[in-house]
Structure formats: C-alpha cells, structure tokens
Amino acid sequence: TENTNVDLNVGANTFKVNVTAEDTNVTNKYTVVVNRAAASSDAYLTDLTIDGTTVQGFDGENVYSYSVTVPSNVSSINIGAVPNGTSVIANTSDIGEQTLTTGVNDFEIVVIAQNGQTRVPYELHVTKQNNDNNLNSLSVTSNPQGTLTPSTFSSGTTSYTYTVGPDVTEVAISGTLPTGATATGFGTYNPNNTTAVNVVVYAEDPNVTPKTYTINLVRNKSTDTTLDELSVAGYTLSPNYSDNTNSYNVTVPSTESSVSVTATPHDSRTTAVVGGKTTGLETGNNTVTVTVTPESGANNARVITINVKKQSSDATLSDLTFDNVTLEPNFDPSITSYTATVPYKTDETEVHATKADENASDPIITGDTTLDVGENTFTITVTPEDPNVDPVTYTVAITREDV
C-alpha cells in the first residue's frame, strides 16, 4: 500500500497505477480519472432567523431585503443566518445577539460563494416600536385668541381649559406627536356645543396604553345690554336713545291711555322685558321700565326707565273770589258764569283766581277793578297743560248800583 497526496486541477485528472506481483513477471496496470468540479458561484442563505424563528417571507435565493417590527419592550434579538453548503458568511458582527434602539436598526449579512468572487449582501431592517404616547406640543387657537390654562404646555399635564369670548364659534386644536404615534381629537370645534375635547395619543407600539389629554372649552357668556332700538310708538324719546343713557322722558296727551314700547337687543342672546305703567296711564308721571338681561344673567342686567308724562286737561279754577263781592251762585269749578250786585259805595274790587292744576297756565284776567255804575264784566281764562284741549273761560258780571 502506498499513499500519495496529489493536487487536483479543475476538470479531469488521470492517474495510472501499476501493480507488480511478487512474481515480477506479472504486472497489472490501472487508470483512474478524477473529475474535480469548478468552485461554486452560489452565494445565498438557506435560512434567516430572529430568536430562532425564520423571518416572515424569507426566500434566500430571490429576496435580499427584509423588514421586521418588534414591540418597544424588546431590548435585543438574536440573529441567525445559515448559508448554502458551499458558501460562507463574510461578516459575523451582525450575527448573534444584537442590542436594539428605538426606531430602525439596520443589519447586513454578506454571503461569499465558494469561488471567492460572488458576494451577496442581505439587508435586515428591524424596527423597534416607539412606546412614547406623549404629545410633543399642543396648539389651541381661535379668532380672537382665547386663554389657555395652564398657559404653558407640558406633556405630563393632561387637563387644560381654553376660555374664549362670547362670539367665538371655532376653536382649532392641533399638536405634534412622537415618531410613529397617532392621535384622535385634533380638529375644529364650536364652543357653543362642545364643552370638552379629548385628544387621545396612541404610541407606535399598540401594546402601550393610549394617553388622553382633555381640553375643556369655555365660552364666556355675553354681557351685551345694548339695544338696536328703543322707542315709544308715535312719540319721541328725550333724550334720543344712547347705549350709555338709562333714563328717558316721553310726553303724551291727556287722551292717551296706553303706550307701546319697543326694545330690540343688539345681541340675539339678550332679552328685553317691558314692564311698569304702559296701560291705564294716569295724569302726571307714569314709570315704564325696560329690563335688558344679557346671556350672562340677571347680575349683569340693565334697567332703563322711561317717564311717561300724561298731560293734564284740567283748565279749571279751584277758587275764585272778588274783594267786597259775593258771587252768585257760589263758586263751583264746573260753573263758568257768575253775577254779583254791589252797592254804590263799592267802587273797586280785586280778583283772586287759583288754578286747579299746577301745570295749567296762570289765569289771564280781563276787566277793570275800578267799578263803574252799572255792569262790569270780568273774564278769567285758564289754558290746560295739554295744548290739544281748549282753554276754560270764567265770566263774572258785577253790577254796581246807582246812587
């Protein structure tokens, strides 16, 4: 037996072996052909695993890039790679136990064929999901701008109050999120019908409990007590209506028994209620009130007073006397004609007339207080406050007897 190491070339290698028997006259000749195959150019993985489980969708001969997502609580993985029988893995730094950071972790596994020339890289992208369920920022806006309390956003503070004026109908809520997170609740809201908005933040990792931020919307109620109109039908207010004036006067004739007052608030949320003496008007001053109550309530109400002065029609006298003269009949305010007779020696008199209504004109007296023999006529005229009513004239005829 003889052993010899021989280098083989790619292709057919022929070897001849002569065997001579102990009897040197006998020799057998053998021919051996050894075919050496060329080095393989195949370079691929037959398996790619994470923690012992084949990566989903693995096809080592056709697919060279893979993406895998793991939860946020996974801190490391063990990568396994099995090359085909004739190839090897060029790098081992991305094989075995690998520490993960949040986000995308990239690994590359290079397979080298037997021929040493063919190199095939495999990419493995492992995304460790983000467990951050906090808002990065919060924006709450309106026109005009309201007030956010607390005024400074903190991701750890989950309850806020946004207060706006009475006429704001749109509040926009938005914010920024961590990588991979999503949120519900962003949008535009009407504070008239929405009192609270929940913004729910979902971390990229669905196993993390969502975090809720509550924004309470408060619309201040209107305090507007201005009027677009304040009027008394058929009459003129004095002074003219002003938002800063709460006391007015109106004069009506003696024949008026009622007034119609119109009060129209500028703000549709404000009410105006007319009260007081609008019917059964009495001669003199009658008080009408207009209570204007804003949306914010009675504590902010405005009370407007209208003094309705009903003019008097009274043009009578409450008393009428003449010095040294006795009237016939005795004075009665409803009687306007009188007579009297005085002796000759009464040659003069004085007239004393008292009006019944202080608002009537002062009595106008005609006649000569020096009495002549015979008939002496006096008139006393009173004009009432109401210019639409005729004056009342009292007539007195005094006869002075002859000698």
Side-chain angles (χ1 to χ4, degrees):
T1 299
E2 183 177 344
N3 294 320
T4 302
N5 290 326
V6 178
D7 293 331
L8 297 177
N9 298 316
V10 174
N13 294 266
T14 302
F15 299 93
K16 294 183 180 295
V17 179
N18 296 323
V19 181
T20 302
E22 186 178 7
D23 182 349
T24 56
N25 294 320
V26 179
T27 300
N28 290 326
K29 296 181 179 181
Y30 296 87
T31 300
V32 178
V33 178
V34 177
N35 287 307
R36 179 188 175 191
S40 174
S41 62
D42 290 340
Y44 60 89
L45 292 177
T46 60
D47 198 9
L48 178 62
T49 62
I50 293 178
D51 294 333
T53 301
T54 300
V55 172
Q56 186 176 4
F58 176 73
D59 180 0
E61 296 189 52
N62 298 293
V63 180
Y64 304 100
S65 181
Y66 299 88
S67 295
V68 176
T69 299
V70 298
S72 59
N73 60 355
V74 175
S75 60
S76 64
I77 57 174
N78 192 293
I79 300 174
V82 180
N84 67 306
T86 60
S87 58
V88 296
I89 295 174
N91 62 320
T92 58
S93 60
D94 287 351
I95 300 295
E97 197 73 18
Q98 304 293 328
T99 299
L100 299 180
T101 59
T102 298
V104 179
N105 297 262
D106 296 320
F107 302 97
E108 184 179 62
I109 301 165
V110 179
V111 180
I112 300 178
Q114 188 180 39
N115 63 12
Q117 302 298 317
T118 304
R119 300 170 64 90
V120 177
Y122 287 80
E123 295 178 357
L124 178 59
H125 308 288
V126 180
T127 299
K128 178 181 177 179
Q129 292 178 320
N130 194 344
N131 65 354
D132 191 350
N133 61 356
N134 293 296
L135 275 177
N136 288 339
S137 67
L138 175 66
S139 172
V140 186
T141 59
S142 61
N143 185 20
Q145 185 67 16
T147 302
L148 184 68
T149 306
S151 59
T152 302
F153 172 75
S154 170
S155 61
T157 302
T158 58
S159 181
Y160 296 86
T161 297
Y162 188 68
T163 304
V164 297
D167 299 320
V168 172
T169 58
E170 289 188 352
V171 175
I173 299 175
S174 62
T176 57
L177 300 169
T179 301
T182 59
T184 60
F186 291 148
T188 301
Y189 298 89
N190 186 339
N192 289 294
N193 48 43
T194 301
T195 57
V197 176
N198 288 328
V199 174
V200 182
V201 181
Y202 298 86
E204 183 181 30
D205 185 349
N207 299 301
V208 176
T209 302
K211 188 171 187 177
T212 299
Y213 293 82
T214 300
I215 298 93
N216 298 295
L217 301 182
V218 177
R219 180 185 65 81
N220 285 332
K221 293 183 178 181
S222 171
T223 58
D224 187 358
T225 56
T226 63
L227 300 177
D228 286 341
E229 179 187 4
L230 177 65
S231 63
V232 178
Y235 301 100
T236 301
L237 287 176
S238 177
N240 292 330
Y241 173 74
S242 167
D243 290 333
N244 298 317
T245 302
N246 292 330
S247 182
Y248 299 89
N249 295 293
V250 166
T251 300
V252 299
S254 60
T255 54
E256 190 69 83
S257 61
S258 64
V259 289
S260 176
V261 177
T262 298
T264 305
H266 175 72
D267 191 325
S268 62
R269 296 162 295 197
T270 299
T271 61
V273 177
V274 178
K277 194 80 170 176
T278 58
T279 61
L281 296 178
E282 299 174 354
T283 299
N285 295 323
N286 299 264
T287 300
V288 176
T289 59
V290 179
T291 302
V292 185
T293 305
E295 182 188 25
S296 57
N299 288 337
N300 295 312
R302 171 192 182 193
V303 178
I304 299 172
T305 300
I306 303 174
N307 180 48
V308 179
K309 184 176 183 182
K310 180 177 178 178
Q311 292 176 321
S312 173
S313 62
D314 190 354
T316 63
L317 294 175
S318 62
D319 192 22
L320 177 61
T321 61
F322 286 74
D323 290 347
N324 304 315
V325 175
T326 300
L327 298 179
E328 291 289 340
N330 291 330
F331 177 74
D332 182 320
S334 63
I335 298 173
T336 58
S337 182
Y338 297 88
T339 61
T341 301
V342 297
Y344 175 76
K345 65 179 181 178
T346 302
D347 59 358
E348 65 179 359
T349 188
E350 288 293 333
V351 183
H352 304 281
T354 304
K355 60 185 179 181
D357 185 351
E358 65 177 6
N359 294 309
S361 68
D362 290 332
I364 297 175
I365 301 171
T366 64
D368 192 346
T369 58
T370 300
L371 300 177
D372 294 328
V373 173
E375 186 174 285
N376 298 263
T377 301
F378 294 85
T379 62
I380 302 94
T381 301
V382 179
T383 301
E385 180 184 26
D386 184 352
N388 300 299
V389 177
D390 292 334
V392 174
T393 298
Y394 292 84
T395 303
V396 179
I398 301 176
T399 300
R400 179 186 177 199
E401 295 178 333
D402 201 349
V403 138

